[in-house]
Amino acid sequence: METENHSNGKKQNRKNVWKFGILLLAIILSVTGCRKEKEDNPTNVSADEKTAQALATIRLTADSILLSDDPLGGFEAIAEEYRKIAEVDSIENDMDGLFIKFANGRMVGWYIPPEITPPTIDDTLLQNLKSIINTKQTSGSSAQKSVCLLDQVDGRANDQAERERCLSYLEAIFSENNWSVDKKIGNQITLDFVSKHLDDYDAIYYIAHGVFALGKSWIATGESGTVSPNRNQIELFIAERVFFRVIRKYAFSHEFIRHHYNPDDFKGDIIYMVACQSMGSRNIPGRTNFDMAKAFTDYGGASVYIGWDESNHTGETTGRYLYDLLWKGYTLGEAYQWLDINKHELIENAIGVSILGFWFPLEPKIYANLKYYPDTADTVWLIKPSITMTIPATVSTVNFSLTSVGEVTVDWGDGKEFIYPNGGDIQCSHTYAVNSSYTIRIKGTITSLNCINSQLSSLDVSDNPALTRLLCSTNQLTELDVSKNRELTYLACINNQLTTLDVSQNPKLTELYCGKNKLTALDVSQNIKLSLLECRNNLLEAVALNALFGTLHTNETGVQKRIIIDNNPGAGACQRSVALEKKWSFAL
């Protein structure tokens, strides 16, 4: 009973706050009206000055309501009083807050940011997050690409650590891939920057407050101000509950992009807007639109604009899953299909309960309803995956098999090309009319490649990061780069001419067969899942084998782990006890 009385008391206090606010506003309007009657030259007051005075009056109550326990109820109770102000043209009051359009065209909003509890992200997921590559750079181009990482939400403490970790990781990955990286935080994202420099980049990752108001999607910048420079911006008053204050930001709509940029300024770019309702709002019927997306794509020429039409979801987490798939070489449509199929599993990773077989996710929800525009972007490769192999002039027929996700095109290098539209398990064979050295290019998302005994003189799999199995034994390879193939679980490169082999970037590798090469050293310290290592018939001395044993991970799983080192120069003198102590067994 005490709890009920306490709850009723709180509700009564909120009502009293609203009533006091309405009374205060009425008194202010009355006094202001009296003062206006006493003015000698009221016509000298400009429309902008009148709007500024009206805004100042509204702020006396609106700012306090925004920071109250029930801002939605507060705005609903006082909106009618605001409508009585002469300078107010229209008011929109909904779940996102209060938005006012003044008679002179100025637009101001009091935005209620969603309460966000960021999900706990395992670091292994971040290890799979890779850079976004767009279609602006043509194959073989040496021009350096650039990305801009923007975090306008600087200051929101409840997910700041997660945002900082995300941007820092993206910055490192882009840099490693030779991208030029520009990062801007908070008030560094000025109106001048947004109006002049967004088209300087090949990819944009923009974390911002987003809201659908006055019939438009608005994206907040980091800059605050008191007078809107032109009618293509809105001023948002945002509640910062950590410090119990109201911060003011500018925001821009699609009109702002069209006003400040020329057609095709964003030609080929990737735009990912990590902002609520950047695709409009599905929460209220009839309010979903793609105006912002169309400004960047149909008008600006961007390859794709990615966002979502929800509020109350950060979208960063779902974006990580999306980028992981794009990095693996999926088309945008294939990546979205994967997300849709696995949506339930992704949501189940959040806290929730199952009732009668139905899953009810609780906070934090990690799956945002991502959308992209235009629809034709589903066929766009954000990373154009390919595998390249070369055969010498002595070869007249080449055979190999592969497994793909989606369509595969094989360019045989002699002017002939074959398309496998359905993908899946594919057997490839081609006979050349003229014996010569040819370069074969396989275009598509390849997860498995078997080119054993194809007499290849070179093999490049670095542009196909989705690869999980590679069998390239019995060829003429002198080098093999698998540093970009982080999904690789099985590698067989027996009977080649390799002098070095770096598997430090293959953390998922479980089986490695590299016998009958010319290796003088091998390090498997980064291959924590490795359970079988075959490296016989190489040039490994005792010192090199001892060093190799030192990099083996101790077997703590109970699963048998085997190593094969026969016919190496140091096989008889090495200290096998090091490997045995780690519960590895030696096999023939």
Side-chain angles (χ1 to χ4, degrees):
M1 193 67 181
E2 292 179 1
T3 303
E4 182 180 348
N5 290 336
H6 177 69
S7 176
N8 291 336
K10 287 187 68 177
K11 291 180 180 178
Q12 186 62 42
N13 288 337
R14 290 174 184 170
K15 291 181 180 179
N16 291 338
V17 170
W18 301 342
K19 292 178 180 178
F20 176 75
I22 294 172
L23 178 61
L24 176 61
L25 179 63
I27 294 173
I28 292 171
L29 291 175
S30 176
V31 172
T32 304
C34 293
R35 287 179 178 174
K36 285 184 178 179
E37 291 178 2
K38 296 180 180 179
E39 288 177 356
D40 295 328
N41 298 302
T43 57
N44 291 335
V45 181
S46 68
D48 287 346
E49 289 175 325
K50 290 180 179 179
T51 297
Q53 292 171 3
L55 176 59
T57 299
I58 292 172
R59 283 202 65 188
L60 290 174
T61 49
D63 286 3
S64 298
I65 293 173
L66 185 63
L67 288 174
S68 69
D69 292 334
D70 186 14
L72 287 177
F75 286 136
E76 183 177 355
I78 205 170
E80 197 57 39
E81 294 299 320
Y82 291 157
R83 288 190 176 93
K84 296 177 182 179
I85 299 175
E87 286 73 28
V88 172
D89 178 70
S90 61
I91 288 180
E92 185 173 297
N93 181 34
D94 60 25
M95 62 189 301
D96 293 312
L98 177 74
F99 303 92
I100 298 177
K101 182 178 180 180
F102 291 93
N104 71 338
R106 186 174 179 181
M107 293 173 284
V108 180
W110 284 260
Y111 173 57
I112 306 169
E115 292 290 341
I116 294 174
T117 304
T120 301
I121 304 301
D122 193 290
D123 283 334
T124 56
L125 178 59
L126 282 179
Q127 293 303 314
N128 291 329
L129 180 61
K130 291 296 180 179
S131 58
I132 315 161
I133 310 297
N134 71 73
T135 57
K136 176 180 284 190
Q137 184 182 24
T138 58
S139 178
S141 171
S142 60
Q144 186 180 39
K145 292 175 288 186
S146 61
V147 61
C148 190
L149 308 175
L150 305 167
D151 180 10
Q152 174 273 317
V153 195
D154 179 55
R156 187 174 67 187
N158 52 347
D159 66 338
Q160 184 164 346
E162 181 63 25
R163 286 183 285 104
E164 289 177 351
R165 183 168 67 154
C166 178
L167 289 191
S168 295
Y169 185 83
L170 281 172
E171 181 179 22
I173 293 300
F174 276 116
S175 297
E176 290 173 7
N177 285 275
N178 299 316
W179 282 58
S180 171
V181 180
D182 193 6
K183 185 165 68 172
K184 294 187 179 294
I185 307 296
N187 59 15
Q188 295 176 336
I189 309 170
T190 63
L191 275 175
D192 182 72
F193 173 80
V194 173
S195 65
K196 297 178 181 178
H197 299 291
L198 290 181
D199 61 339
D200 293 345
Y201 306 95
D202 298 299
I204 297 172
Y205 183 92
Y206 196 156
I207 302 175
H209 283 298
V211 61
F212 191 92
L214 304 170
K216 307 172 187 177
S217 287
W218 299 87
I219 307 298
T221 71
E223 183 181 5
S224 60
T226 55
V227 179
S228 187
N230 66 54
R231 304 309 173 214
N232 294 319
Q233 286 109 43
I234 190 174
E235 291 173 87
L236 287 180
F237 293 91
I238 303 172
E240 181 53 77
R241 292 182 177 276
V242 177
F243 301 106
F244 297 99
R245 62 193 176 102
V246 174
I247 56 176
R248 190 184 317 185
K249 306 276 189 182
Y250 284 128
F252 62 90
S253 70
H254 63 96
E255 295 170 339
F256 179 86
I257 300 300
R258 293 177 182 270
H259 178 79
H260 289 286
Y261 291 96
N262 297 314
D264 290 337
D265 274 354
F266 297 94
K267 186 71 174 179
D269 288 358
I270 302 301
I271 312 293
Y272 180 54
M273 197 63 68
V274 190
C276 293
Q277 306 182 95
S278 59
M279 288 287 203
S281 173
R282 72 173 184 176
N283 298 311
I284 297 179
R287 298 208 325 178
T288 298
N289 68 52
F290 297 98
D291 288 343
M292 185 71 78
K294 290 178 180 179
F296 278 103
T297 56
D298 293 353
Y299 175 79
S303 291
V304 65
Y305 177 98
I306 304 169
W308 74 95
D309 60 3
E310 298 173 289
S311 58
N312 299 314
H313 306 302
T314 62
E316 292 98 327
T317 306
T318 309
R320 288 193 181 123
Y321 287 105
L322 175 66
Y323 294 156
D324 188 33
L325 295 168
L326 299 181
W327 166 250
K328 293 175 183 176
Y330 284 59
T331 65
L332 194 59
E334 291 166 348
Y336 270 68
Q337 184 179 27
W338 185 95
L339 286 171
D340 186 61
I341 292 173
N342 293 277
K343 181 193 305 184
H344 184 68
E345 179 180 345
L346 298 182
I347 294 177
E348 282 191 342
N349 287 336
I351 300 172
V353 295
S354 180
I355 302 176
L356 298 177
F358 293 95
W359 179 258
F360 295 89
L362 305 175
E363 291 298 329
K365 176 181 176 183
I366 66 170
Y367 185 82
N369 185 38
L370 292 186
K371 294 180 177 294
Y372 61 87
Y373 182 89
D375 291 341
T376 53
D378 60 356
T379 60
V380 172
W381 300 100
L382 301 187
I383 291 180
K384 187 71 172 179
S386 65
I387 292 176
T388 303
M389 55 180 70
T390 304
I391 59 171
T394 56
V395 177
S396 59
T397 300
V398 62
N399 301 284
F400 56 85
S401 62
L402 58 85
T403 303
S404 74
V405 177
E407 181 181 285
V408 172
T409 300
V410 179
D411 181 348
W412 294 104
D414 60 352
K416 296 183 179 180
E417 184 177 273
F418 197 88
I419 299 175
Y420 301 87
N422 298 323
D425 296 328
I426 301 171
Q427 297 290 330
C428 303
S429 180
H430 185 65
T431 300
Y432 293 92
V434 178
N435 280 10
S436 180
S437 177
Y438 293 99
T439 297
I440 303 167
R441 183 178 295 274
I442 308 168
K443 306 171 187 176
T445 305
I446 311 303
T447 58
S448 176
L449 174 65
N450 183 341
C451 53
I452 294 176
N453 198 24
S454 297
Q455 303 183 60
L456 305 181
S457 57
S458 71
L459 175 63
D460 184 356
V461 295
S462 59
D463 290 331
N464 198 102
L467 200 62
T468 61
R469 291 175 59 86
L470 175 59
L471 296 82
C472 56
S473 299
T474 314
N475 282 287
Q476 304 170 29
L477 305 179
T478 58
E479 60 181 5
L480 181 63
D481 181 4
V482 290
S483 62
K484 303 297 183 181
N485 307 101
R486 293 185 63 87
E487 301 301 310
L488 203 62
T489 61
Y490 184 101
L491 173 59
C493 53
I494 301 169
N495 195 22
N496 279 285
Q497 301 172 34
L498 304 177
T499 57
T500 62
L501 182 62
D502 182 0
V503 289
S504 62
Q505 300 302 311
N506 311 109
K508 298 182 180 181
L509 196 63
T510 60
E511 297 183 44
L512 172 59
Y513 302 86
C514 56
K516 294 186 180 181
N517 279 286
K518 299 178 181 180
L519 303 178
T520 57
L522 190 60
D523 184 339
V524 293
S525 59
Q526 302 303 311
N527 311 111
I528 59 176
K529 296 185 177 183
L530 193 65
S531 61
L532 194 154
L533 172 57
E534 187 276 306
C535 56
R536 58 187 159 194
N537 293 96
N538 274 286
L539 303 177
L540 299 169
E541 299 287 350
V543 173
L545 286 172
N546 293 338
L548 171 60
F549 300 156
T551 66
L552 293 173
H553 284 264
T554 301
N555 185 2
E556 297 177 347
T557 63
V559 177
Q560 184 181 23
K561 295 193 174 187
R562 297 177 295 160
I563 181 172
I564 305 171
I565 62 170
D566 300 321
N567 296 326
N568 277 289
C574 63
Q575 298 176 357
R576 299 187 179 220
S577 59
V578 176
L580 293 172
E581 289 175 0
K582 294 183 177 183
K583 300 179 182 179
W584 282 70
S585 63
F586 287 87
L588 298 177

